[in-house]
Amino acid sequence: MTVDVQQLQFGLNSFGDVATDGERVLSDAESLRLLVDEAQLAESVGLDVFSVGEHYREGQVDSATPVLLSAAAQATSTIRLGTSVTVLSTQDPVRLYQEFATVDALSGGRTEMVLGRASAIESFGLFGYDIAEYEQLFEEKLDLFLKLMRQDRVTWSGKYRSPLDDVRLHPRMPEGGIPAWIGIGGSPDSVIRAAKNGLPLMMAIIGGRPERFSGHAELYLKALAKYGHPELPIAQHSLGLVAETDEEAKNLHWRHWEPVVTRMSKERGFYPPTKDRYEEEVKTGALYVGSPETVAQKIADIVRANHLSRFDLKYDLFHLPVKARAQSIRLLGEQVAPRVRELLAENPGRWYPANRPIARITADGKAVHA
């Protein structure tokens, strides 16, 4: 199997991180308007998808993603508009269907979603859900949401919301619903869930060597075949910054990445960042930071290794300057994406199984490591 250069897509992901302009921190309102401007910029430089996440913490303004995407829909005309993640576990699937059916109608059919279980868990307490039911909530709500998208009328009952009796929602999505990906952070069970439900796979790779996810891609393709589905797209979400030179990109990104990851390391119990580890992450890990040529070479390599049909760059960071964000978007669209396609046309490579132990699918549909 080789990479289809013509079908390869490039997207931008934002978590609504508040930006700076000179010494001034933008207000929440200014940050929201900036995201709409950046969606326009992404479209103007030829990028394929602009996506916004869902978070509920200080310094991030992406808590009402459908509203924001509706504004972006009116400001753009061709770029696809999506979610970097929709925390399905703490959403009402009925309301979610109505919101995204509305966005899709307003955008002229340009809307899509990435459905996830959440790595940031603030929404559980905020909306009154028990984090102990993390897995069960997602399973039940995914079942209902897919039925709402794929069936004209739905009769359904479950544990976490009132039953539905022959319900037909409005406004209507297109037949079959809108494109919906399953987002994973590394769980083989999540890979199986995506394949079993016939949904494309979005791999969030934010640290370590990204090619280690080639086994997840292999598992996904095997599971699709097992469940009788055709091959579906595999995408990767990673963090990065593009600047004119490698040093400019690394120096700027490090200043804003280090405090964010220091906070995360305390919250999640992993090692605090050091400059040496950062340099290694940029060189061989999952940070796509550097000049257009450096980033293009690295993306081309991982497209081949992980059998990707889409690469999304998470381009914003807490207090990253507005000008740096705009430059990164411009360079990604105008120089990196064309260069990656050129590199893959010259050497598409062949995607081989990872030749490492991968998870196997058991009779109950779970994945366990072989």
Side-chain angles (χ1 to χ4, degrees):
M1 291 179 284
T2 59
V3 175
D4 187 341
V5 177
Q6 299 305 315
Q7 297 299 316
L8 181 64
Q9 292 189 327
F10 290 86
L12 284 174
N13 285 353
S14 168
F15 286 0
D17 292 342
V18 172
T20 55
D21 187 3
E23 297 299 316
R24 188 176 69 85
V25 177
L26 270 61
S27 69
D28 286 357
E30 290 172 316
S31 299
L32 287 165
R33 293 193 292 270
L34 174 63
L35 287 172
V36 176
D37 291 342
E38 289 173 341
Q40 290 180 299
L41 177 59
E43 180 175 86
S44 74
V45 298
L47 293 171
D48 300 293
V49 189
F50 184 83
S51 300
V52 181
E54 180 192 341
H55 296 85
Y56 301 89
R57 58 171 55 191
E58 186 76 22
Q60 294 177 313
V61 297
D62 59 340
S63 59
T65 313
V67 181
L68 181 55
L69 293 179
S70 290
Q74 297 307 294
T76 58
S77 58
T78 59
I79 195 167
R80 296 197 63 79
L81 301 167
T83 64
S84 315
V85 64
T86 295
V87 185
L88 182 58
S89 305
T90 55
Q91 295 273 2
D92 175 15
V94 172
R95 191 63 178 144
L96 196 67
Y97 176 98
Q98 292 165 329
E99 289 171 340
F100 278 88
T102 300
V103 177
D104 194 58
L106 292 172
S107 69
R110 292 184 284 129
T111 309
E112 57 185 63
M113 311 171 72
V114 174
L115 304 171
R117 297 183 298 171
S119 57
I121 59 173
E122 290 84 0
S123 63
F124 284 81
L126 188 62
F127 297 121
Y129 289 98
D130 185 352
I131 191 64
E133 297 180 304
Y134 182 85
E135 188 79 22
Q136 301 95 314
L137 281 163
F138 187 82
E139 288 280 4
E140 179 175 300
K141 294 192 175 196
L142 179 64
D143 174 65
L144 175 54
F145 189 66
L146 292 180
K147 282 183 169 62
L148 291 169
M149 287 211 299
R150 292 171 173 176
Q151 298 177 15
D152 187 59
R153 293 184 175 275
V154 173
T155 296
W156 178 93
S157 64
K159 178 180 178 181
Y160 298 105
R161 63 149 292 133
S162 55
L164 303 177
D165 183 14
D166 196 32
V167 167
R168 189 173 193 267
L169 300 179
H170 296 279
R172 300 298 301 163
M173 285 185 181
E175 185 176 354
I178 64 174
W181 304 64
I182 290 290
I184 71 158
S187 165
D189 282 342
S190 295
V191 175
I192 300 303
R193 183 182 292 112
K196 185 176 182 179
N197 287 288
L199 299 173
L201 184 71
M202 174 67 73
M203 303 187 296
I205 309 177
I206 61 172
R209 292 179 178 264
E211 60 270 19
R212 75 189 191 280
F213 275 71
S214 62
H216 291 68
E218 182 181 354
L219 174 64
Y220 176 65
L221 294 175
K222 288 183 175 180
L224 283 172
K226 173 183 173 66
Y227 290 112
H229 298 297
E231 184 172 329
L232 294 170
I234 301 172
Q236 178 174 323
H237 152 106
S238 291
L239 283 63
L241 179 75
V242 191
E244 294 292 346
T245 68
D246 288 347
E247 287 308 306
E248 178 190 349
K250 287 191 292 184
N251 290 338
L252 180 59
H253 192 260
W254 164 255
R255 290 203 302 272
H256 297 277
W257 181 86
E258 187 272 338
V260 171
V261 179
T262 296
R263 183 189 68 192
M264 289 175 60
S265 70
K266 294 175 182 177
E267 293 174 350
R268 304 185 188 183
F270 58 81
Y271 68 82
T274 66
K275 194 61 182 290
D276 287 345
R277 282 172 169 163
Y278 175 79
E279 292 283 351
E280 186 62 28
E281 197 68 45
V282 170
K283 183 179 178 181
T284 64
L287 290 181
Y288 292 77
V289 177
S291 67
E293 181 64 21
T294 295
V295 174
Q297 292 280 352
K298 192 170 181 179
I299 292 176
D301 287 344
I302 203 59
V303 167
R304 299 185 190 104
N306 283 352
H307 196 55
L308 304 179
S309 58
R310 174 172 151 188
F311 181 90
D312 282 5
L313 185 74
K314 200 273 185 183
Y315 70 96
D316 58 353
L317 269 174
F318 190 54
H319 288 182
L320 188 67
V322 171
K323 289 183 179 179
R325 290 163 58 135
Q327 176 180 243
S328 193
I329 294 169
R330 286 190 182 279
L331 292 175
L332 182 68
E334 294 176 349
Q335 296 189 35
V336 174
R339 179 61 175 146
V340 172
R341 292 187 175 105
E342 183 179 79
L343 290 166
L344 293 172
E346 293 170 358
N347 176 23
R350 288 189 61 81
W351 186 79
Y352 295 96
N355 293 322
R356 68 187 70 175
I358 63 171
R360 59 186 174 82
I361 309 166
T362 59
D364 62 356
K366 297 292 185 179
V368 295
H369 286 289

